[in-house]
Amino acid sequence: MTRKTQDEFEQDKDLDILHEKYQAIATELPPESLDADILQAAHQAVDSQSHISRLKSSRRAWYVPAAYAAVLVLSLSVVLKLAFEPEYKSPEIPETDAMFPHEEALMQAEKSRLKQKLHILSEQKNIDQNRMLKQQSLKQQVVKPASQPKKSQQKIKKTRSHSKRARPDMAAPATIQSVGEMDEKAIASAGIKPETTQVTDKDQQARIKYLIKLYDLQQFEKLKLAMQDYRKDYPIGGDELGDEIESVMGKSESNKLPQVLRDWEQHNQ
Amino acid sequence: MVLTISTSNNLADLSDEALMLSYQTGTAAAFDELYARHKGGLYRYVLRQLNNHDALAQEIFQDVWMKLINARLSYQVSAKFSTWLYRIAHNRLVDHWRSDKKIKQQVDYDEINSMDEDVLDSQRESEPQNQFQQTQTRQKILQAIDELPEEQRSAILLKEEGALSLAQIAEVTGVNRETVKSRLRYGIKRLQGILQPLRSVL
């Protein structure tokens, strides 16, 4: 607690004196006419307020129910309309290929080409494996003439005659020098191309398979396109080589276009 | 009649804030009661602030009450009613001073004094000695209050007429409590010249 100074005591005392003296002299009041004016204004304000509220309530007496009724009628009409209106059918939108037939055909062709390539790649792997197995089996047949002398000799002779028939300009070897040399000759005479050309053969086989598949699925439009594409790389007349391979390695490894497809191609050219 | 009396008794028991809320809801009698309670203090506050200029004081006093009547619907009990009332009055006075670019009238007190002396001489003859002294004291106090700077006078009048606390005066005048305190202190100090001789009387 801080103690009050002498000055503060005196000030408090002066305040008390002032209060007492001032209250004694403060007797002025507003004139009665002014009082009356102010009170009248206050009463009028209240009256007008109540009058406005009465007006509001009297207005509310008819327009509020009317508004409710209008809202009810409108909402009912909307509900009924929704309930009895026939189901809306959106106009049929023409499909994309119908709208843009040319673009769609191009896209389909591109798709089929891509699919074809993918298919070729997957088939290539299997064909490689089969070919390797075949080569190995062929080598074994050449290396072991003693066990099956007649069959192998006949096969080699047959191969040679085939090679002569296919390529008359090539001179046939007079004698087989070694197993390795004989091996190479046998492979060459069997129509197996070197490593670089093997890819083309595999590709051709895969494409033939694809053509067969299209034929089986009766997708003739695609077949036509694929056939044209095929003929760009393998023109007509190359099927003789396929015949030779078929005779040596079996039907599955043949590069020959099946007769059915050839007929179809001829028919559809 | 009985009902009316009991109603008026009830109103007299109500606080200012309750009366104002009652008036807000449409009870005109509540305003009568409020007006009766505050008309004197407010009128004198305005009158003193305007250097006892009667006509101007009445005009502004009426304006203050009209403002209160018009603002009744927005009234909320966030402060004491008297604080609200005196804030309206204070703002109205400030507006008046600003709009009129009020140059405080330099009252020629010598003239008033000489005039007062004449009046006093005439009164001295008619009034008894005690009554004459009272009149003289009143004149001196009012004169001293008039001489105070506006802020100090306002603080003293709000305390005396509105019976407001320091915090309420601070709220009305828009300053902090300490400022109000110092204004009161300086105001009293200025009045000491007049109050000093009165001490002996007390």
Side-chain angles (χ1 to χ4, degrees), chain B residues 155-168:
Chain B
I156 287 170
L157 288 174
L158 285 168
K159 189 175 184 304
E160 290 301 323
E161 295 293 357
L164 302 183
S165 66
L166 289 178
Q168 287 165 345

Side-chain angles (χ1 to χ4, degrees), chain B:
Chain B
M1 189 66 184
V2 175
L3 184 69
T4 313
I5 289 165
S6 73
T7 309
S8 85
N9 282 342
N10 285 343
L11 287 174
D13 294 339
L14 290 175
S15 66
D16 289 348
E17 293 75 31
L19 284 171
M20 188 60 206
L21 287 172
S22 180
Y23 176 58
Q24 195 179 43
T25 54
T27 311
F31 182 84
D32 296 350
E33 178 64 27
L34 266 178
Y35 184 75
R37 283 183 194 179
H38 293 281
K39 68 172 183 178
L42 187 71
Y43 179 72
R44 286 188 294 273
Y45 170 71
V46 175
L47 187 69
R48 306 270 183 266
Q49 290 283 45
L50 296 167
N51 301 99
N52 299 312
H53 194 297
D54 274 338
L56 194 58
Q58 284 174 22
E59 186 191 323
I60 288 176
F61 174 77
Q62 191 172 9
D63 275 0
V64 170
W65 283 106
M66 291 312 292
K67 275 180 188 285
L68 185 140
I69 291 163
N70 292 331
R72 69 192 182 282
L73 296 174
S74 61
Y75 174 75
Q76 288 177 333
V77 189
S78 57
K80 210 177 162 189
F81 171 79
S82 54
T83 310
W84 184 52
L85 177 66
Y86 279 91
R87 191 163 60 230
I88 294 170
H90 179 78
N91 291 341
R92 179 66 187 83
L93 283 166
V94 169
D95 287 348
H96 166 73
W97 290 325
R98 278 180 190 161
S99 64
D100 284 10
K101 294 182 180 173
K102 187 195 175 237
I103 303 161
K104 227 178 167 187
Q105 289 177 349
Q106 295 298 316
V107 184
D108 189 350
Y109 286 108
D110 293 334
E111 196 181 331
I112 289 173
N113 284 342
S114 62
M115 210 168 69
D116 283 349
E117 284 299 318
D118 296 339
V119 174
L120 288 173
D121 284 340
S122 62
Q123 282 176 346
R124 206 175 281 149
E125 289 166 7
S126 58
E127 289 175 11
Q129 184 65 24
N130 193 22
Q131 203 174 349
F132 169 72
Q133 275 183 349
Q134 277 183 0
T135 311
Q136 202 173 23
T137 309
R138 181 179 183 275
Q139 291 290 338
K140 281 183 178 176
I141 291 169
L142 290 179
Q143 184 181 325
I145 289 170
D146 281 350
E147 281 176 340
L148 287 174
E150 189 186 305
E151 292 86 8
Q152 292 168 19
R153 185 173 65 240
S154 187
I156 287 170
L157 288 174
L158 285 168
K159 189 175 184 304
E160 290 301 323
E161 295 293 357
L164 302 183
S165 66
L166 289 178
Q168 287 165 345
I169 294 168
E171 199 182 330
V172 169
T173 54
V175 293
N176 63 43
R177 194 175 174 279
E178 288 306 309
T179 308
V180 173
K181 204 174 174 180
S182 86
R183 280 177 184 178
L184 276 175
R185 196 167 60 239
Y186 283 115
I188 294 295
K189 210 170 183 178
R190 276 174 176 264
L191 292 174
Q192 265 179 352
I194 297 155
L195 297 171
Q196 203 75 24
L198 296 174
R199 280 186 189 178
S200 56
V201 178
L202 281 169

Side-chain angles (χ1 to χ4, degrees), chain A residues 157-186:
Chain A
K157 276 181 184 174
K158 208 174 182 182
T159 312
R160 280 178 188 165
S161 66
H162 271 295
S163 65
K164 274 179 187 171
R165 187 159 55 95
R167 289 168 189 153
D169 56 315
M170 274 178 70
T175 50
I176 296 167
Q177 296 294 322
S178 63
V179 175
E181 194 181 81
M182 194 181 74
D183 208 346
E184 281 173 15
K185 302 246 180 193

